[in-house]
Amino acid sequence: MVGPVRPQFVLFGSSIVQLSYSYQHQGWGSILAHLYARKADIVLRGYSGWNSRRALQVLDEIFPKNATEQPSLVIVYFGGNDSLLPHPSGLGQHVPLQEYIENMRKIAVHLKSLSKKTRIIFLSAPPVNEAQIYGNSVPGQRLRTNESCRIYSEACLELCREMDIKAIDLWSALQKRDDWRDVCFTDGVHLTCEGSNIVAKEILKVLKEAEWEPSLHWKSMPTEYAEDSPYDPIGPDGKTNMNICNWTFLETTEWD
């Protein structure tokens, strides 16, 4: 453990979360980590291939109720793998819709019990580009479909409305672009830089609009060690120091 203790934002989910720190595709997790530098610690708990069943098995380990410090924010994504159609063998990632809903409900209940300060955002299943995934393969062999993603996405959103949890409709958000099939995915499932930009902007929009106290939007949070110092870089006038603690080195208007 290192100090000072900062608010902790945990990203919990399957490959969309694990790959959110992708250096190759400027993942949405890395965007958050950059914007929240000196403000919050972005903690990655992403596990490629997981579904909501697997998540429940380790929920107490990842989010122990007796932890000294509880997260200020948990962003949860499961659903894309759950929505795969059943394999004839009975093996694989498919989780029936009603079980998926109850699994996500249990995850939400557990996270709500951690502390009064812990805020939650659920991400719904994003769309997929079936042509990019399968090419010219036989349709009967296709277990991952955009229609199934839509059904699981809507179920997640409905649960969040019922439980008063902030939710982001990724299935709709990515498809707002006419060229979404061409620009949002590396392989028909996982996100490109453009796809991650959309996810990051949707998350930041929720954080900005949420009436949470304290606010968790990056521009509203205090910056660590923000006081002026004689050791700051020398300003353009050559006579005074320049405090650069809030520089992000990004086009910040894009992330307002």
Side-chain angles (χ1 to χ4, degrees), residues 136-154:
N136 297 319
S137 65
V138 178
Q141 298 175 339
R142 300 181 178 186
L143 298 181
R144 194 183 293 273
T145 71
N146 200 32
E147 174 62 13
S148 185
C149 288
R150 179 190 67 79
I151 292 170
Y152 279 67
S153 172
E154 290 183 356

Side-chain angles (χ1 to χ4, degrees), residues 5-218:
V5 176
R6 298 173 179 172
Q8 190 178 77
F9 294 4
V10 182
L11 316 182
F12 179 45
S14 53
S15 57
I16 295 294
V17 173
Q18 180 173 329
L19 299 177
S20 71
Y21 268 50
S22 169
Y23 70 91
Q24 184 179 5
H25 301 295
Q26 193 181 349
W28 58 271
S30 66
I31 294 171
L32 295 180
H34 194 113
L35 292 173
Y36 281 89
R38 299 177 69 163
K39 295 174 181 286
D41 288 333
I42 311 297
V43 179
L44 187 66
R45 291 295 182 269
Y47 305 92
S48 291
W50 279 28
N51 58 20
S52 60
R53 279 181 186 164
R54 188 74 178 88
L56 277 180
Q57 291 179 339
V58 297
L59 194 60
D60 289 321
E61 296 176 30
I62 296 175
F63 299 101
K65 292 185 178 183
N66 61 352
T68 304
E69 290 291 329
Q70 294 293 357
S72 296
L73 175 68
V74 183
I75 299 177
V76 180
Y77 166 70
F78 291 101
N81 293 328
D82 298 69
S83 74
L84 264 69
L85 302 180
H87 190 272
S89 68
L91 301 174
Q93 298 156 300
H94 169 74
V95 175
L97 183 61
Q98 290 305 313
E99 181 187 344
Y100 165 72
I101 294 170
E102 291 309 309
N103 289 347
M104 297 302 284
R105 185 190 307 277
K106 291 174 183 175
I107 291 172
V109 168
H110 182 88
L111 295 178
K112 283 188 170 189
S113 74
L114 295 180
S115 77
K116 291 182 179 180
K117 74 169 186 177
T118 300
R119 311 300 186 183
I120 306 166
I121 300 174
F122 274 17
L123 308 180
S124 79
V128 295
N129 182 357
E130 294 178 44
Q132 191 176 3
I133 299 170
Y134 298 110
N136 297 319
S137 65
V138 178
Q141 298 175 339
R142 300 181 178 186
L143 298 181
R144 194 183 293 273
T145 71
N146 200 32
E147 174 62 13
S148 185
C149 288
R150 179 190 67 79
I151 292 170
Y152 279 67
S153 172
E154 290 183 356
C156 177
L157 297 173
E158 178 59 32
L159 174 66
C160 289
R161 285 190 287 269
E162 174 192 328
M163 300 188 70
D164 192 26
I165 292 172
K166 301 293 185 184
I168 296 174
D169 181 359
L170 289 187
W171 194 85
S172 298
L174 268 67
Q175 293 185 83
K176 287 179 180 177
R177 287 191 57 148
D178 292 337
D179 59 351
W180 66 273
R181 290 184 178 85
D182 301 320
V183 302
C184 287
F185 305 108
T186 61
D187 55 6
V189 178
H190 302 105
L191 301 174
T192 59
C193 174
E194 186 58 43
S196 272
N197 283 349
I198 294 172
V199 175
K201 287 177 181 178
E202 291 293 324
I203 291 171
L204 292 169
K205 180 182 177 183
V206 169
L207 292 173
K208 186 175 184 178
E209 295 177 355
E211 296 180 354
W212 290 337
E213 292 294 341
S215 171
L216 298 180
H217 187 257
W218 69 280

